[in-house]
Amino acid sequence: MNNKPNQNFSNLLENPKDFDIKIKVGEHPNIKEFKAHSIILSSKSDYFKTEIFSRWAKREDGFIILNKPNISPPVFEILLNYIYTGIFSKNNEVSLLEIFIAADEIGLFEISRQIEKCLLETESAWKFPKDYITICKYDAFTNLREIAFKFKGNEAHEYLRQGKYLKALEFYEDILKNIPYSAEDQKSASSWDLSNYRCGSEELNELSKVLCKNTMLTSLNLSNIELGSINVNSINGFFKRSGVKVLADVLCKNFTLTSLNLESNVLGSEGGKTIADALCKNSTLTSLNLFNNYLGSEGGKALANALCKNSTLTSFNISYNYIGFEGGKALADALCKNSTLTSLNLESNALGSEGGKAIADALCKNFTLKDLNLRFNELGSDGGKALAVALCKNSTLISLNLFSNYIGSEGGKALADALCKNITLTSLNLQDNKLGSEGGKALATALCRNSTLTSLNLYNNYLGSKGGKALADALCKNSTLTYLDLSENELGFEGGKALAAALCKNSTLISLDIRLNELGSKGGKVLAHALCKNYTLTSLNLLANNLGSEGGKALADALCKNSTLKDLNIMYNNLGTEEGKALTVALCRNSTLASLNIQMNYISFKLKSNNPNLIIIQ
């Protein structure tokens, strides 16, 4: 940071002759008076120029008097030396941050910029925790404040990595105590991610002590730490307890934790029962993730029983636990009694049609659940029909995921009829359910009547061109749908043509996914024509549609005119050099596209764009 010294100014500093200004700096008892030349100070700093020549400047015995109580004498001495000599001579006892703040205040911007660069790049340039407490008092220096927390946070993260949880807690308490902090600071201190960390008996004992302290910790991620296989030594060393039991006991005493992630911990049915017992006593947890823990039907039933007694949990993930019909039936019974749960994930639990019907019956009585995930549960046509009946009665569910449940055309038609009556559902996922063209046509009819659905996923349902055309016609009448996935449905050119016509009339659809539909070059051309007229679509996925040369060039021409599309995927479409050139021309004119994926084509050169924000994946 040293600059070439100014010999003339250096001589003046040592020669008291012509001093005409006195500056008192610091606070009692550390106050020091400095004498200087007003002409030099004003020539180096606009701040001093304003203060010195102000009509309100205090004068005494021929001296201009200035007071700077907020700058310490050692800091001011360094800055005054810099003003006179051009040399930054840092005193190791003085904080760089204090020098930066003072330099910024008195308008020595060259030195303040140099110091700021050093503080932003070098962790050792900080004096913790003093500097962190100082920087938190200055709202104007947010970039320095963020980097200070990042540097200091590295220490806490290292403690967490080593399993020294009490030391990490001590750090956060010291830093956040009695100082202003942002929501981001609070999140870092209160949300601990210990996933995939090595955790043994000692570490778990220490973590239990942290949780017993009931501090600022509100979110804890313990996924994939093999909790189910940890045995913890007791204090007297005579016996051991399972890690799950230790954690469960702590949950009965903790009053601050609201979110707990125990994903992939091999808890087993016994571990599930232990956690269930804790839920009956805990009164703060609102989110619990037990994904992939081999809970089985017994663990599922125990947790269902806990939901009948627990009054705080709002989000519960029990996916991939194979609780079967018995566990599903127990959870369904719990939903009839529970009045707090709003989100339930039952993905991949082998519920079967009977389990699906039980859940459906519960939905007729439950008035709190908003988000339900039933992916991969082999519900079948009967389960789909039962859920359709429930949707006609339920008035709270907003999101329903039925991905891959073999619902078939009959189940699809029943659900379509329900959509004509339901007034709350906004998101429905029917991906991979073999609905067929008949199911597609029934859903198209429903879309003409439904006024709440905003997201519909029909990926891989054998809709064919007939189902595609029916849904396209519905888009001309529907005014709420914003996301539609029709990928891998054998739409062909006819289906693509109908969708293109719909895009010219529809004014609400934002995202359309029609990959893997063999639209061909003709389909690409009609869609390109539609893009010249549509003013709402922002995302379009055309992956693997064999658009070829004609379709690629047509899309390039459309991009020259379209002003709303932000994301376009045209992977695997047999585009070559000529189409690449056409796209380059288009990208020089288009100013709205943010992402373009052209991978797996035959374009041998890198595309260029005038838009610096555009991401081209090639």
Side-chain angles (χ1 to χ4, degrees):
M1 291 186 188
N2 286 7
N3 294 325
K4 185 177 179 180
N6 188 313
Q7 294 297 333
N8 293 330
F9 282 4
S10 180
N11 293 335
L12 283 170
L13 184 60
E14 295 175 2
N15 182 3
K17 185 179 180 182
D18 299 328
F19 281 157
D20 61 349
I21 184 169
K22 293 179 181 179
I23 307 167
K24 293 180 180 179
V25 300
E27 294 180 308
H28 181 78
N30 300 313
I31 297 176
K32 185 174 181 180
E33 182 178 88
F34 291 86
K35 293 179 181 179
H37 302 84
S38 62
I39 189 171
I40 294 176
L41 296 189
S42 61
S43 69
K44 290 293 183 178
S45 162
D46 286 341
Y47 169 84
F48 280 124
K49 182 186 291 186
T50 302
E51 291 293 313
I52 291 168
F53 297 108
S54 168
R55 55 193 280 188
W56 293 285
K58 184 179 178 182
R59 297 178 184 275
E60 189 177 281
D61 298 329
F63 283 91
I64 300 169
I65 308 298
L66 295 181
N67 291 295
K68 296 299 296 176
N70 57 323
I71 300 179
S72 70
V75 169
F76 192 80
E77 186 172 356
I78 290 171
L79 294 179
L80 190 61
N81 183 68
Y82 173 76
I83 289 173
Y84 274 84
T85 68
I87 298 174
F88 177 71
S89 301
K90 181 185 176 300
N91 180 344
N92 288 330
E93 299 301 316
V94 179
S95 163
L96 264 182
L97 179 65
E98 290 184 39
I99 300 172
F100 164 78
I101 292 170
D104 183 82
E105 181 179 339
I106 63 177
L108 298 179
F109 299 121
E110 181 180 352
I111 193 66
S112 67
R113 281 193 294 268
Q114 292 181 49
I115 296 175
E116 181 180 32
K117 185 175 186 295
C118 181
L119 289 168
L120 288 171
E121 296 175 356
T122 313
E123 185 171 349
S124 60
W126 293 80
K127 292 183 180 295
F128 291 113
K130 178 184 175 183
D131 279 356
Y132 183 73
I133 295 172
T134 299
I135 195 62
C136 282
K137 298 175 183 177
Y138 292 86
D139 293 336
F141 306 130
T142 54
N143 53 344
L144 282 176
R145 187 170 166 282
E146 288 170 3
I147 200 69
F149 191 84
K150 177 184 176 183
F151 285 153
K152 193 57 182 166
N154 291 339
E155 184 179 331
H157 293 152
E158 184 61 21
Y159 286 142
L160 292 178
R161 191 187 68 79
Q162 295 174 3
K164 297 178 180 179
Y165 305 128
L166 288 170
K167 288 290 291 182
L169 180 65
E170 182 183 335
F171 152 73
Y172 283 123
E173 287 180 332
D174 284 346
I175 291 298
L176 298 182
K177 187 177 182 180
N178 299 321
I179 61 173
Y181 52 84
S182 69
E184 193 61 32
D185 297 340
Q186 177 66 36
K187 182 179 178 182
S188 297
S190 61
S191 301
W192 288 10
D193 185 353
L194 307 181
S195 58
N196 300 297
Y197 281 11
R198 176 189 169 277
C199 191
S201 175
E202 291 183 14
E203 289 81 8
L204 200 55
N205 257 331
E206 186 150 328
L207 182 60
S208 69
K209 291 176 183 177
V210 169
L211 291 173
C212 285
K213 282 179 173 289
N214 283 296
T215 58
M216 81 281 287
L217 192 61
T218 59
S219 177
L220 183 60
N221 185 346
L222 295 176
S223 62
N224 201 28
I225 65 167
E226 300 182 4
L227 183 64
S229 61
I230 299 173
N231 288 315
V232 181
N233 293 320
S234 64
I235 296 174
N236 55 29
F238 288 120
F239 62 91
K240 291 184 177 182
R241 292 189 301 162
S242 71
V244 183
K245 185 69 168 68
V246 170
L247 181 63
D249 287 347
V250 173
L251 288 178
C252 297
K253 302 171 185 176
N254 180 277
F255 300 107
T256 57
L257 204 65
T258 59
S259 176
L260 178 61
N261 186 344
L262 294 176
E263 176 180 324
S264 301
N265 268 295
V266 201
L267 301 183
S269 61
E270 291 305 312
K273 291 177 186 177
T274 303
I275 296 296
D277 289 340
L279 281 181
C280 295
K281 301 171 185 177
N282 179 279
S283 60
T284 53
L285 211 61
T286 60
S287 175
L288 177 61
N289 184 350
L290 294 176
F291 168 90
N292 189 32
N293 269 295
Y294 304 98
L295 301 178
S297 62
E298 293 304 311
K301 286 191 282 187
L303 287 161
N305 182 57
L307 287 180
C308 296
K309 301 172 183 178
N310 180 281
S311 60
T312 55
L313 207 65
T314 60
S315 176
F316 187 33
N317 184 345
I318 194 176
S319 58
Y320 285 85
N321 274 292
Y322 309 101
I323 63 174
F325 163 66
E326 293 294 330
K329 177 68 168 60
L331 279 170
D333 292 340
L335 287 178
C336 297
K337 302 172 184 177
N338 181 282
S339 60
T340 55
L341 207 64
T342 60
S343 176
L344 177 61
N345 189 339
L346 287 170
E347 178 178 346
S348 197
N349 268 298
L351 299 182
S353 61
E354 293 304 312
K357 286 193 279 186
I359 295 292
D361 289 342
L363 288 179
C364 297
K365 302 169 185 177
N366 179 281
F367 298 102
T368 54
L369 204 63
K370 294 181 179 180
D371 184 359
L372 177 60
N373 186 347
L374 292 171
R375 285 172 46 135
F376 299 115
N377 270 295
E378 302 174 6
L379 302 182
S381 176
D382 288 342
K385 290 177 182 177
L387 285 166
V389 172
L391 287 179
C392 295
K393 301 176 182 179
N394 181 280
S395 60
T396 54
L397 205 64
I398 293 173
S399 175
L400 177 61
N401 191 337
L402 297 175
F403 181 143
S404 194
N405 270 292
Y406 310 108
I407 289 173
S409 62
E410 293 304 312
K413 285 192 279 187
L415 285 166
D417 289 341
L419 287 179
C420 297
K421 302 170 185 176
N422 180 280
I423 57 171
T424 56
L425 204 66
T426 61
S427 176
L428 177 61
N429 187 340
L430 291 173
Q431 178 177 340
D432 195 19
N433 269 294
K434 300 182 180 179
L435 301 181
S437 60
E438 293 304 312
K441 286 192 279 187
L443 285 167
T445 300
L447 287 179
C448 295
R449 301 177 185 177
N450 180 281
S451 60
T452 55
L453 206 65
T454 59
S455 175
L456 178 60
N457 188 338
L458 295 174
Y459 176 98
N460 191 27
N461 268 294
Y462 307 101
L463 301 179
S465 60
K466 291 183 179 179
K469 286 195 283 186
L471 285 163
D473 290 341
L475 287 180
C476 298
K477 302 171 185 176
N478 180 280
S479 60
T480 54
L481 206 64
T482 58
Y483 170 87
L484 177 61
D485 188 342
L486 294 174
S487 49
E488 202 166 350
N489 269 297
E490 303 171 357
L491 301 182
F493 166 64
E494 291 300 323
K497 180 182 176 182
L499 283 170
L503 288 178
C504 295
K505 300 176 182 178
N506 181 281
S507 60
T508 54
L509 203 66
I510 293 173
S511 177
L512 177 62
D513 191 340
I514 45 176
R515 62 197 147 135
L516 296 160
N517 270 297
E518 282 299 321
L519 302 181
S521 60
K522 290 183 179 179
K525 288 165 73 174
V526 293
L527 280 167
H529 177 71
L531 287 179
C532 297
K533 298 182 178 180
N534 180 280
Y535 297 103
T536 55
L537 204 66
T538 60
S539 177
L540 177 61
N541 191 341
L542 291 171
L543 176 146
N545 269 295
N546 197 25
L547 301 180
S549 176
E550 296 301 315
K553 288 179 182 176
L555 281 171
D557 290 340
L559 287 179
C560 295
K561 303 171 185 177
N562 181 280
S563 60
T564 54
L565 203 65
K566 293 182 179 179
D567 301 298
L568 177 61
N569 186 344
I570 46 177
M571 286 178 64
Y572 285 108
N573 270 294
N574 297 319
L575 307 182
T577 301
E578 292 303 314
E579 295 74 67
K581 290 179 181 178
L583 283 168
T584 298
V585 172
L587 295 180
C588 290
R589 299 177 183 177
N590 183 287
S591 60
T592 54
L593 204 64
S595 174
L596 174 63
N597 191 335
I598 58 168
Q599 288 181 305
M600 303 302 174
N601 283 294
Y602 302 101
I603 301 173
S604 58
F605 59 92
K606 290 288 184 182
L607 296 191
K608 296 181 180 179
S609 167
N610 291 334
N611 183 355
N613 298 318
L614 175 62
I615 298 173
I616 301 174
I617 305 169
Q618 187 169 358

